[in-house]
Amino acid sequence: MPTKKVSIMHAQPTASHFINGKYVEDTNGKVIECIYPATGEVIAKLHSATPEIIDMALNAAKSAQKAWGKLSGTERGRVLRRASDIIRERNHELSVLETYDTGKPMQETLYVDATSGADALEYFGGLAGSITGEHIPLGEDWVYTKRIPLGVCVGIGAWNYPTQIACWKGAPALACGNSMIFKPSEMTPLCALKIAEILIEAGAPAGIYNVVQGYGDVGAALVTDPRVDKVSLTGSASTGKKVYAAAAAGMKHVTMELGGKSPLIIFDDADIENAIGGAMLANMYSTGQVCSNGTRVFVQSGIKDAFLKRFAERAAAIKIGDPMDEETQFGPMVSKSQRDIVMGFIEQGKAEGATLVCGGNAIDGAGYFIEPTVFADVTDNMTIAREEIFGPVMSVFSFETEEEVIARANDTDLGLAGGVFTNDIKRAHRVVDELDAGTCFINSYNDAPVEAPFGGVKGSGVGRENSKAAIEHYSQLKTVYVRMGNVDSPY
Ligand code: NDP
């Protein structure tokens, strides 16, 4: 673990908020301490938005949106694509910031954070000129539809992918002609500010993409404001219910990207090394802090022992340590409180009788590290089998038949993702057809290309991010009836 103080370069932003094209501060807001999770050091101090700051952001977003919405899609797209290029040019600097914000190792952030944000801006930038309605012939008359912006969108982010979430929400919103106010999690306030800065550098008009910092109360104030037309939240299922209800009271559009407790099913004919690689990605990447993780790993009984033995060998070789070292594969949890929550689940797993195969301990030192942890002999009603843990804790269950495992996999209120490893192509498709999940993987896990819709069913959310599907969630239809003849009025 990193024991010596790291030199923190430029983590402190110019100011806490970015509104109407400029950094803005109001020191009356509650202090937000940004802590580097690998060492526990405070690397920046920001302030939560005061009512004046919230008002300023809403006014900026409201007044900038009209003109932005009237530009052609191609003009808007050009700005997004320029922003994507700038992000790629500055990938290293943005990856360092993502690592400071989250503690995720550079080995990850260099490849999946800023680059995934850039992918979203490039993709939706390319799509912006093709956002069209349709022509519906009705004899002499006709109807045409237009896809029009919703207005002011509020994005509220979780702490695990601060750059990616800021872009996954911002890119489709802006492509469709909306403006956005983004509120990052107070645990990871730094990255979204850079995205706002880069959009201005790329030619976005002031006020189109604003960032305000704050705790849940700032999110709640934004969600309930009548100037807001749409709310897109990435967060836990419980916050999702509150935010969805508050948005419904104002008849606002929503996208809810919430948590999961997803199944990963491994049949005995699967390529075992691939299946273990998939299970590793499904549980250990980003120290297990991924919403779509396949944390309930169902292994067919004939291969269970071999699977566990080999998984433990590979887990023991995971390089844990300083996230800034590009050799490091596994960083700390995002915060002390999140580490404590995860350790609480591990203790509960032990107390309820699951068998600890490897890990299970917090690692000494100032940072918030936990060992990669695997439980076997988990039964369906144990706490670790039912609750989203959001840490590097994998639960392994054994099963006998396809029918049985599908029923058990679906026995949850959540439905974000699901995966299957098998060499039987018919079985693979049959099983994913039956899974209650918005996003499925066959012989793979956790791929999230921008071209593919991403989102959950059941308690895991409403709406889809990414792909052409996101356009429907950031725009609405206007229908225009055109009569060519006289009006046939009976009056
Ligand atoms: P939370 O639900 O605690 O918070 C999410 C965001 O909502 C934060 O910015 C939070 O602010 C804000 N918030 C909290 N209460 C309110 C409220 N009443 N009104 C408006 N905003 C509010 O989630 P975490 O940040 O702990 O993130 C982890 C969760 O996110 C996990 O459940 C994970 O599965 C899910 N997630 C889902 C993804 C998906 O795409 N489906 C992707 C990534 C994560 P504050 O932090 O200041 O309280």
Side-chain angles (χ1 to χ4, degrees):
M1 292 331 94
T3 46
K4 62 179 190 311
K5 294 258 176 207
V6 288
S7 84
I8 306 293
M9 304 173 307
H10 315 306
Q12 179 69 43
T14 310
S16 299
H17 319 287
F18 195 94
I19 299 172
N20 217 9
K22 292 192 290 285
Y23 276 99
V24 182
E25 191 57 271
D26 182 349
T27 52
N28 290 323
K30 200 168 154 191
V31 171
I32 295 174
E33 285 192 335
C34 180
I35 293 172
Y36 180 43
T39 62
E41 287 167 83
V42 176
I43 55 169
K45 282 192 184 170
L46 296 90
H47 294 272
S48 181
T50 55
E52 290 75 23
I53 289 285
I54 295 172
D55 198 50
M56 193 190 289
L58 285 160
N59 285 338
K62 183 89 189 158
S63 60
Q65 187 272 323
K66 273 253 169 313
W68 175 249
K70 292 227 180 296
L71 290 180
S72 74
T74 304
E75 286 172 291
R76 289 196 298 267
R78 200 171 297 139
V79 172
L80 302 193
R81 284 183 287 109
R82 257 189 240 125
S84 164
D85 290 344
I86 298 170
I87 289 176
R88 289 194 207 284
E89 280 158 24
R90 289 169 59 179
N91 181 43
H92 192 272
E93 167 206 341
L94 296 170
S95 303
V96 169
L97 203 64
E98 174 92 17
T99 291
Y100 281 149
D101 240 357
T102 61
K104 291 186 292 183
M106 288 290 286
Q107 199 185 87
E108 290 188 16
T109 57
L110 280 169
Y111 296 97
V112 300
D113 290 285
T115 55
S116 153
D119 286 353
L121 287 156
E122 186 176 359
Y123 176 83
F124 286 106
L127 216 56
S130 306
I131 299 172
T132 57
E134 62 177 337
H135 171 262
I136 305 163
L138 295 165
E140 271 197 347
D141 297 350
W142 73 91
V143 161
Y144 67 92
T145 62
K146 300 171 74 162
R147 275 223 162 257
I148 60 170
L150 300 173
V152 176
C153 301
V154 162
I156 301 178
W159 39 258
N160 56 346
Y161 282 84
T163 308
Q164 184 188 81
I165 296 172
C167 294
W168 279 20
K169 297 189 188 306
L174 269 51
C176 292
N178 305 286
S179 58
M180 172 153 277
I181 303 171
F182 186 78
K183 189 204 85 70
S185 164
E186 91 284 351
M187 275 193 258
T188 51
L190 305 177
C191 299
L193 291 168
K194 285 288 166 201
I195 300 302
E197 221 183 85
I198 286 170
L199 278 161
I200 291 289
E201 195 183 326
I208 283 304
Y209 188 91
N210 310 279
V211 175
V212 299
Q213 309 293 344
Y215 297 87
D217 59 326
V218 172
L222 290 167
V223 171
T224 48
D225 193 279
R227 285 164 284 189
V228 170
D229 302 284
K230 148 114 199 180
V231 178
S232 177
L233 170 81
T234 296
S236 61
S238 62
T239 302
K241 282 181 191 155
K242 280 189 250 170
V243 173
Y244 196 0
M251 205 56 79
K252 299 176 200 299
H253 297 252
V254 294
T255 301
M256 294 283 141
E257 290 294 347
L258 310 175
K261 190 72 192 171
S262 302
L264 171 57
I265 303 171
I266 299 170
F267 286 95
D268 58 12
D269 66 339
D271 178 309
I272 196 137
E273 284 299 317
N274 275 336
I276 289 168
M280 290 251 169
L281 288 172
N283 285 277
M284 302 306 163
Y285 206 72
S286 302
T287 319
Q289 302 165 113
V290 180
C291 52
S292 49
N293 270 358
T295 50
R296 291 184 296 140
V297 179
F298 293 91
V299 183
Q300 206 159 17
S301 59
I303 57 163
K304 196 194 82 179
D305 291 344
F307 174 90
L308 285 171
K309 183 167 174 286
R310 184 68 185 124
F311 193 101
E313 281 166 14
R314 285 178 61 174
I318 292 175
K319 195 162 181 296
I320 309 172
D322 179 356
M324 289 298 166
D325 177 348
E326 287 182 31
E327 295 296 307
T328 295
Q329 297 172 313
F330 190 89
M333 298 298 300
V334 74
S335 65
K336 180 176 181 313
S337 63
Q338 195 61 25
R339 182 188 62 183
D340 293 347
I341 290 169
V342 173
M343 286 310 299
F345 279 115
I346 291 173
E347 290 312 318
Q348 229 162 335
K350 289 183 201 163
E352 290 176 20
T355 306
L356 192 59
V357 176
C358 61
N361 300 302
I363 300 174
D364 287 343
Y368 312 128
F369 291 84
I370 294 182
E371 293 170 347
T373 298
V374 177
F375 280 108
D377 307 316
V378 183
T379 57
D380 295 354
N381 290 324
M382 286 181 184
T383 309
I384 57 170
R386 305 217 65 84
E387 305 264 333
E388 185 187 39
I389 298 175
F390 224 60
V393 183
M394 178 168 110
S395 295
V396 177
F397 308 70
S398 94
F399 74 94
E400 303 295 334
T401 69
E402 183 180 318
E403 200 182 13
E404 169 211 339
V405 77
I406 288 167
R408 292 170 64 195
N410 286 337
D411 181 22
T412 162
D413 294 335
L414 302 171
L416 188 54
V420 56
F421 274 83
T422 175
N423 276 328
D424 179 341
I425 192 165
K426 288 187 182 165
R427 174 157 65 189
H429 291 287
R430 215 166 45 227
V431 171
V432 294
D433 263 5
E434 293 298 322
L435 287 180
D436 297 341
T439 307
C440 290
F441 307 92
I442 294 177
N443 293 331
S444 190
Y445 208 87
N446 264 350
D447 315 79
V450 68
E451 296 86 350
F454 180 80
V457 301
K458 301 202 292 194
S460 289
V462 175
R464 291 292 177 271
E465 293 200 306
N466 289 342
S467 80
K468 288 186 285 230
I471 298 299
E472 286 167 31
H473 300 288
Y474 281 99
S475 62
Q476 56 196 336
L477 285 175
K478 176 174 272 189
T479 303
V480 182
Y481 189 104
V482 182
R483 182 176 295 282
M484 294 299 284
N486 295 325
V487 174
D488 184 14
S489 168
Y491 309 109

